[in-house]
Amino acid sequence: SSNGVGTYNRSLDMSVSFKDGDGQPYSFSTKLYAEVVEKGYALAADPASKDLGKLKEGYSEKEAKEKEVTVSIQNKGASSVRMDGVKGNDHFTVTAVGDDYETLKNGEKASYKIVPKQGLAVGTYTDTITFLTRENTNATFKATVVIEKKLDPLTVEPNPLDFGVAEEGYAALTQKTVTVKNNTDYAIRLNQPTSYSYEISLLSQTSLPAGSSATFTIRPRTGLPANLYDGVVEVYGSSNDNTLAAKLNVKFSVNRPAGPSTFSDVAAGSTFAADIAYVSQKGLMSGKGGGLFKPQESITRGQLVTILYRLEGQPAVSGAGFPDVAAGSYCEKAVKWAAANGITAGGKDGLFRPNDSITREQLATFLYRYNNYKGYVVAKQADLSAFSDSGSVASYAKDALSWANGTGLVNGTSDGRLNPSGGATRGQAAAILHRFCVSIGR
């Protein structure tokens, strides 16, 4: 009677012999069994808890079913109980295998299937599920499931990227590294991402096996005009004729510095007023002294490459120049930079001729080569045959003028000509440069 709850197995061994010792002793054994249960009502859940693992966001009913766990509720008390539903199952569906209101005698069990409910958002869910009886006794089971964010086939991190705020004329900004991840179980072929407003390096690799990554660096282009560059860089991939895309949100803001931007010989609202204000504020072109800009004065070859050199941020230069560009002259570094980066090759005689007035086709060629040097997208090639003097375009300038006209940088004259060998004024150059920078900004 002192023994507590439990199961007891014993044996009773008996040994007898005849009186006076006649005959052989005789033995036998009897097995004894007893179970002591709790007094009154007692329920127990088996198992008492279970981590059902992880599911991906948007999981199917079949995927949830695969996480199913069976819980047994056993009556361990002396008195019978009648099951009477569950509570606390906010994130799990509980289904009785037998009768919802089954009566359990001592030692009997009822089974329940437990699965995560459909449509759970990303997060970790833990419910303490209580199995009720009409006798006001119960058993509990703790269930846990994690819903992970379902990744797109192709993702980029970090995302978004914010490069902050800079003033016009800012120096080159620090590059940031972006990782492109293949989250599929198959190989993906990546396309090189491009942008007008941002410099993007070549991908570290273009063939991505399942689960692998590639990287590239990105930063705003130098020389962007005042504007908010809040946009998207798209990274495309393909596999078995399926196109995949990841969107990198990028943000950069350029402010216009305070200060005067007008010249006494540029009337407000005149043809090139906005363009001259833009290039002067940007530090690409300055006045000619005395508060004058002289918009009708011709612009020279040396002046144009100097403007592009300023647009690039005036990087350090090295290498040989041209014999007709004097050491220490205003355009010496700019001409060396332009020659080193394929923007100019000079003339057939090996001279650069910095003081010659630039022609329209030369201006277009410098811009076209600078565009290619920067890695900007070359698009919108125009058909020059629509112009009456298209045959007079120099062979070296045909692609450049086709591009410049197609992008709206160099337009035809009022009489339907390109006038490729005609000169360009400072006002016209300001307008073309303004359009060039704004087109990059887009």
Side-chain angles (χ1 to χ4, degrees):
S1 61
S2 62
N3 288 331
V5 173
T7 300
Y8 300 93
N9 290 289
R10 300 287 187 269
S11 64
L12 176 62
D13 297 321
M14 305 289 289
S15 180
V16 301
S17 61
F18 291 98
K19 187 177 180 181
D20 299 328
D22 294 335
Q24 296 298 319
Y26 177 76
S27 300
F28 64 91
S29 179
T30 298
K31 296 294 184 182
L32 302 177
Y33 169 83
E35 182 178 1
V36 180
V37 300
E38 292 187 23
K39 194 172 183 179
Y41 305 107
L43 289 182
D46 183 26
S49 65
K50 179 72 174 180
D51 185 343
L52 278 67
K54 299 176 181 179
L55 288 167
K56 295 291 185 183
E57 181 183 24
Y59 55 91
S60 66
E61 184 176 352
K62 179 182 177 182
E63 289 170 328
K65 179 72 172 175
E66 291 172 352
K67 299 295 183 180
E68 181 182 87
V69 60
T70 299
V71 177
S72 294
I73 305 299
Q74 184 177 21
N75 180 6
K76 292 195 172 185
S79 303
S80 297
V81 295
R82 186 175 184 183
M83 304 306 298
D84 196 30
V86 298
K87 68 176 182 180
N89 56 317
D90 299 327
H91 307 101
F92 296 86
T93 299
V94 181
T95 306
V97 176
D99 187 352
D100 286 332
Y101 305 101
E102 187 174 358
T103 298
L104 302 180
K105 297 178 181 180
N106 168 253
E108 293 182 339
K109 299 178 181 180
S111 296
Y112 295 84
K113 302 289 187 182
I114 299 177
V115 297
K117 288 183 177 179
Q118 287 298 117
L120 294 179
V122 173
T124 299
Y125 300 93
T126 299
D127 286 357
T128 298
I129 302 170
T130 303
F131 296 87
L132 307 172
T133 69
R134 292 192 178 182
E135 292 73 23
N136 202 29
T137 188
N138 57 63
T140 59
F141 169 76
K142 183 182 287 187
T144 299
V145 68
V146 176
I147 310 301
E148 295 183 322
K149 185 172 181 61
K150 186 175 182 179
L151 297 176
D152 293 329
L154 204 60
T155 55
V156 288
E157 291 292 341
N159 192 11
L161 283 181
D162 190 341
F163 287 90
V165 180
E167 283 196 345
E168 284 184 325
Y170 57 89
L173 300 180
T174 302
Q175 297 174 331
K176 295 186 178 183
T177 300
V178 177
T179 299
V180 185
K181 179 71 180 295
N182 176 7
N183 299 308
T184 71
D185 56 2
Y186 49 83
I188 293 176
R189 182 78 179 177
L190 293 179
N191 297 331
Q192 175 65 34
T194 60
S195 172
Y196 278 111
S197 304
Y198 291 84
E199 293 179 355
I200 300 175
S201 71
L202 292 176
L203 288 161
S204 60
Q205 60 177 338
T206 57
S207 181
L208 287 188
S212 64
S213 302
T215 60
F216 63 85
T217 60
I218 182 171
R219 67 180 175 186
R221 297 186 188 279
T222 53
L224 292 174
N227 206 343
L228 173 62
Y229 299 90
D230 189 1
V232 173
V233 173
E234 292 189 307
V235 182
Y236 289 100
S238 59
S239 178
N240 298 326
D241 298 327
N242 292 324
T243 300
L244 309 173
K247 294 184 178 181
L248 172 65
N249 296 290
V250 287
K251 186 176 182 180
F252 178 55
S253 183
V254 181
N255 292 335
R256 181 164 293 170
S261 59
T262 58
F263 300 89
S264 60
D265 59 344
V266 181
S270 61
T271 302
F272 300 121
D275 304 310
I276 291 170
Y278 173 81
V279 296
S280 64
Q281 289 177 351
K282 195 174 180 60
L284 299 178
M285 297 179 71
S286 57
K288 299 288 288 185
L292 302 176
F293 185 82
K294 296 190 177 181
Q296 300 305 320
E297 185 177 288
S298 296
I299 191 166
T300 67
R301 289 166 53 85
Q303 290 169 351
L304 196 283
V305 294
T306 300
I307 291 169
L308 293 179
Y309 183 55
R310 291 170 181 168
L311 183 59
E312 183 60 17
Q314 304 184 79
V317 297
S318 61
F322 295 90
D324 60 339
V325 179
S329 66
Y330 81 95
C331 66
E332 179 198 11
K333 290 183 178 179
V335 172
K336 283 186 176 181
W337 165 80
N341 293 287
I343 295 166
T344 182
K348 292 181 179 180
D349 56 2
L351 301 178
F352 180 73
R353 304 186 187 280
N355 299 319
D356 283 5
S357 296
I358 199 166
T359 65
R360 286 161 59 86
E361 64 184 3
Q362 289 171 354
L363 190 154
T365 300
F366 283 162
L367 284 174
Y368 180 64
R369 290 172 179 170
Y370 178 72
N371 185 84
N372 291 344
Y373 158 71
K374 295 296 290 181
Y376 301 161
V377 175
V378 177
K380 299 182 180 179
Q381 298 279 3
D383 182 3
L384 299 183
S385 63
F387 297 96
S388 60
D389 58 348
S390 60
S392 63
V393 177
S395 58
Y396 75 85
K398 286 183 178 179
D399 287 343
L401 261 179
S402 176
W403 164 80
N405 183 251
T407 53
L409 298 179
V410 176
N411 300 317
T413 61
S414 58
D415 58 358
R417 295 184 306 119
L418 273 173
N419 192 20
S421 59
T425 66
R426 285 169 53 82
Q428 290 170 339
I432 291 171
L433 287 164
H434 189 187
R435 289 195 290 269
F436 177 72
C437 290
V438 170
S439 68
I440 293 172
R442 291 199 189 103

